[in-house]
Amino acid sequence: MPYGGIGWLRKQQLFEELVAACPGPPFRFDRVLVLVPSSRMTRTYRKLFLDAVEKAHGATALIPPVVQTLHRFLSSLSARVPGPALIDENTRLVLVEGIVKNYLAERRLFSQSPDVLAPSLSASLAAMIDQLAHAGIGPTELRVALAQTDAVDRKQVVLLMDIYDAYERILKERNLADPAGMLTHLAGLFDPSWLDPYDTIIIDNIADAGDLEAGLLAKITAHRNCRYLGEGLGGLVARAGEAHPLRITKDFLAKINVVVEEDGCGMDEDNEFLARALFSDKTFAEIEQQARALPSFGKTVRLLSAVNPREEVSFIAGEVKKALRAGIAADSLLVAFPSLDEYGPLVEEIFTDCGIPYNRALGRQLSTSPVTTAAISLLRACHEEFSGPSLLRVLSSPFLTFGENRAIAPALDRFLRDRKIMGGKERLLTQLLYQRPHDDGIDVLTTPLKDLFAALEPFCTTDSAPLAVWMERLGRLTAWSKLASRVLLIKGPLNSNLQAYKKLEETFSSLAAAGRLFPEYRYTFSEWFFLLRKTLMHVRYQVPPDDEGGVQVLGMGETMGHAWSEIYLGGLIDTKFPQRLPQNIFLPESTLEPLGIRTLEKARLTASHHFYRLLLSAEKITLTRPENEGDRATVASPFLAELTPLIRAGLINQGIEQTSGIQFSLRPEDSRSISELAKAVGSKGIVPGIEQVLNADIANMAAIKAAYDFSPPSEAPNLSSQYKRSFRVTELDDYLQCPYDYYVKHVLRLRPLEEVSEDISPLDRGSAVHAILHSFYKEWDKPVNACTRNEAQALLQKLAAVAYDPARVADTFRNRRDQQLFLSVIAERFLDAEELFWQQGMRPAFLEHKIEAYKITLSDGSEVELNAKIDRIDVDEQGNFIVVDYKTGKYPTPKKTVDQEIFQLPVYAVMAQQASSADEVRLRQPIGLAYYDLMGKNKGLARDVVLFNKDLGLDQPAIKPQSSPKSAEDFETILKQSMDKARKAIEGIRAGDFTSEPQDENKCRYCPNAVMCETEET
Ligand code: SF4
């Protein structure tokens, strides 16, 4: 059959002939068996027959043909013959894991706990055993095959052989069969009379299967009236070389005894050329030459790249929308991705925004469904010992019993923040005993939390139990959680929640059945929870068939056997297409190949086959890839190189100007969805003619319309502190750092909502250090020197013990580490600096020195007040002084000129000097400004006199000895300039000037206001 629409028409004709041969009612086709590769195609076929009967006989009632996937058909045959009971995939995994755990416990093979190793190893072992079994290699054959190789003595190979032995033995002892065993059993007993109920057998588009299935198919093709329908050029299949995508089909057809016809394919000339050009053994130059010699090439093939996956999907959505507007049937448009799990959510979001009807048919991972997430969140709460975030997940889930009361989750969030606790069952209940009722006098938390803790009690045990017992407990928990009834209430898109719930129940039952089969394997809660999550990650669920209309968003395997008018194939990057698979951890490829296991090669060939097939399956093909993923540049899929000669010949991207760097246009007229329009008009402001669009009766336009209609009050409410008269020096520093940041922090008083944590915050840590050092000099009344250092150290230790007392600070790992850090780094650096300081003939005269209502006159003559709290002021006998600021973080460093970023210290110096007349100790003249680099952010001693008057002849410890010393005149200028800056900052604040102009643009990188002040976009 030709690929694409022509092939589809041929197929239709074939079935119409079959139907037309039926003499009259009743229209019985139950003697026709059709075997297809996917359950999706079974539905397509049933419709095909119905249409054919209606067309040929005008009837709408018929007895349908038997349309089944090969797997289902073989399973139904096996159910009819006596033999072992078939186990499912979950049971297989449970069995392998149990065997592995016992095996490791007996031998301590990899010097790791079997509990840790068994779950991670068992999945790989189960996959390896499955591959071997499907290739017809049993444990004995494996031992024989490996006997003469170097691999035979390797630990992992010994493990594989022993586990495979034990696995087969247990299955035999219990009269069970895994899927491969079932196929072997069936092949041994196969009786051609099993096919007697069918007059006609059609095998459609099954392009590959494992050896065992292929062997059974070969027996089926021996039926007297069996037809195999496959896509592609017969000649090309027959001659496909080792690396050609059709080799997979060629090998398979040989296995099932199907002879390929050399001709009669019926492809049009363009496709025939393309089929011979792609993956050809000719050189690119030869193909290019042939391409240039073509009289015409009417097929549209585009190869484009967008800046990232979101822009890529937006582009596809735009093109799909154009096609729909041009009248192309939605379900004839195919959008396919090699990694649909990654692209799926993005496609759903953007297609929904664009109003495109779609069907995302490929099954979804059950573990990602909201229903499963809700069920797992219950167990996770127990696993995480009832941490705050885990409880919030449970209480806020709409699928669980607490979804009935929306006040519970916010109340718990507030409670955790207020009390600064991270959760914990006992801790929460104790704290709740002392909590004041809420404003309305109701305690909304105690009862639900107690209920939840009681429901989870059976899981709070360290004892092990058989799988069946854990599944029974889980059954009771899900019943208590009202998951089933909540799911019915909440209707998700395409009813996917209900589908997910059904699959979840099915999976739980399957695990419970596995537990009953193997009661000897026991699990702790953690082991069982890991097994459960691992299982849910492998299981997939489907949306109901009724919802299959619209643009088809499919994975590669699902795209076969349809007629497509346009194909969009996206996400074509290396590592995803073909997918990069890990190397086999048990046996090297060179050993596996002779055994008939070629996983890596097969994955590459299968991917190339899909690529090849899809390129030939529609008249308009668009291939796309993202240029970046996150902050990483991507590499194009190697298959795209096949198009090189065609690009050179000008057959690809005909008439397209921009083929790379595609991204969303901000022009309103290019908008493809309401959200794009909102972004576009948001950035352009008033757009001529927009009223017409806004007034059109389009859903969701109301928000944009409302934004347009909104006119801000003529005078903005005055938040700018126009009449503010009192300022702190630290806030002025904030203003100078960035006026907009000041506005957010000090005018709007917004601050980011931080994670609840029992660890003390960096701010609290700084306060604790300040408090200890302040208390130190409150108690210490003599110089620090070599003789007194131990005593000083002991005092700091004592003060630290008080500051970090577990009664005040939670006993967490980080808090303990902080205390340790204080003693080992901060205290030592401080004492080193103090020893030197005391030799200079100065002493700390003021500690946490407050200066309030310091008067400062602005340029308009008005007077405002400045307030400050200075960590410490050191004074010599003449009253010369140095202003000191303790720092646990970074601080501004001095510059060689008089223009300085250092702002607070000079202002403090001026304020301290002028305000000191009333003090006991007279401050005569500021001679220096010092930071204490307590954490050692810069190299050197802690005491860093960042600016000082060198004309007094005193040398000071400074980390930047070139920049810190200043002449008396420069030092004076710096003080004066800082006061001028303070004045300007005050005037800016009072004038409401809050522009986003950071002093240092690096600040923007970590600024939480980046979105609000729009620097993020620039
Ligand atoms: S992101 Fe930059 S400009 Fe914006 S508020 Fe923060 S520091 Fe200021």
Side-chain angles (χ1 to χ4, degrees), residues 737-738 740-741 996-998 1000-1001 1003-1004 1007-1010 1013 1015:
Q737 297 291 330
C738 174
Y740 190 84
D741 189 40
S996 41
E997 280 176 15
D1000 173 4
E1001 285 189 352
K1003 183 176 156 61
C1004 302
C1007 178
N1009 309 324
C1013 73
T1015 46

Side-chain angles (χ1 to χ4, degrees), residues 161-274:
M161 292 192 299
D162 289 353
I163 298 293
Y164 199 7
D165 274 339
Y167 173 79
E168 283 290 323
R169 194 189 64 248
I170 293 174
L171 287 182
K172 209 169 190 177
E173 282 168 5
R174 305 199 185 186
N175 198 25
L176 299 171
D178 61 6
M182 180 270 284
L183 294 175
T184 313
H185 182 70
L186 208 55
L189 295 179
F190 191 87
D191 183 347
S193 68
W194 293 348
L195 302 176
D196 285 351
Y198 309 110
D199 293 335
T200 306
I201 296 180
I202 296 169
I203 301 171
D204 186 13
N205 254 317
I206 298 179
D208 190 24
D211 284 359
L212 290 175
E213 281 176 330
L216 281 160
L217 260 181
K219 294 177 196 285
I220 294 171
T221 53
H223 183 272
R224 63 186 180 284
N225 185 15
C226 178
R227 289 189 209 185
Y228 176 86
L229 309 181
E231 289 177 331
L233 270 180
L236 273 180
V237 173
R239 287 189 295 278
E242 276 298 293
H244 196 279
L246 287 177
R247 199 200 85 203
I248 216 161
T249 315
K250 177 182 158 187
D251 292 352
F252 173 68
L253 295 182
K255 279 189 222 164
I256 65 170
N257 302 330
V258 169
V259 182
V260 184
E261 290 171 13
E262 272 284 327
D263 52 17
C265 176
M267 278 189 195
D268 63 29
E269 282 177 4
D270 290 345
N271 277 329
E272 197 162 337
F273 167 74
L274 209 53

Side-chain angles (χ1 to χ4, degrees), residues 528-655:
W528 168 73
F529 187 43
F530 185 77
L531 171 77
L532 186 68
R533 283 188 298 156
K534 198 170 62 173
T535 308
L536 296 173
M537 267 167 59
H538 290 134
V539 178
R540 304 185 79 85
Y541 71 103
Q542 308 273 342
V543 292
D546 304 353
D547 295 321
E548 280 185 351
V551 175
Q552 300 295 304
V553 182
L554 306 179
M556 307 299 271
E558 294 268 313
T559 58
M560 293 170 78
H562 292 269
W564 304 113
S565 50
E566 290 185 19
I567 293 178
Y568 297 86
L569 183 52
L572 300 180
I573 57 172
D574 197 17
T575 71
K576 303 278 169 65
F577 194 58
Q579 192 184 12
R580 183 174 293 163
L581 296 175
Q583 289 287 333
N584 191 302
I585 59 169
F586 298 103
L587 292 166
E589 290 295 310
S590 55
T591 311
L592 288 169
E593 261 184 38
L595 300 176
I597 300 172
R598 298 178 174 186
T599 318
L600 302 185
E601 189 201 6
K602 202 159 184 181
R604 196 191 64 77
L605 273 179
T606 307
S608 66
H609 183 229
H610 287 312
F611 179 72
Y612 180 81
R613 182 174 65 69
L614 286 172
L615 267 172
L616 299 167
S617 295
E619 279 317 287
K620 188 170 176 186
I621 312 283
T622 304
L623 307 168
T624 62
R625 73 171 180 96
E627 289 160 12
N628 306 284
E629 271 188 337
D631 53 5
R632 202 169 40 85
T634 62
V635 175
S637 162
F639 300 143
L640 296 178
E642 290 298 316
L643 298 172
T644 308
L646 309 182
I647 294 171
R648 286 190 201 146
L651 302 190
I652 310 278
N653 290 335
Q654 291 184 42

Side-chain angles (χ1 to χ4, degrees), residues 812-823:
T812 65
F813 170 76
R814 281 193 69 164
N815 293 349
R816 283 198 298 277
R817 200 190 58 181
D818 270 4
Q819 183 177 1
Q820 206 50 46
L821 196 73
F822 175 83
L823 296 173

Side-chain angles (χ1 to χ4, degrees), residues 760-774 776-777 784 789 792-797 799-800 803-804 814-835 871-872 885-890 931-937 940-943:
I760 56 174
S761 66
L763 200 67
D764 291 343
R765 193 178 309 133
S767 305
V769 170
H770 276 72
I772 296 171
L773 299 185
H774 174 238
F776 174 79
Y777 271 123
V784 178
R789 180 167 175 135
Q793 207 173 33
L795 177 58
L796 284 172
Q797 271 178 11
L799 294 169
Y804 287 93
R814 281 193 69 164
N815 293 349
R816 283 198 298 277
R817 200 190 58 181
D818 270 4
Q819 183 177 1
Q820 206 50 46
L821 196 73
F822 175 83
L823 296 173
S824 59
V825 177
I826 298 181
E828 291 303 314
R829 287 180 62 76
F830 176 72
L831 291 175
D832 288 347
E834 293 312 274
E835 273 195 47
D871 284 346
R872 170 173 147 184
D885 200 8
Y886 294 137
K887 287 282 181 194
T888 50
K890 287 205 282 194
Y931 285 116
Y932 266 57
D933 177 15
L934 295 167
M935 293 292 284
K937 298 273 176 199
L941 277 179
R943 188 175 170 97

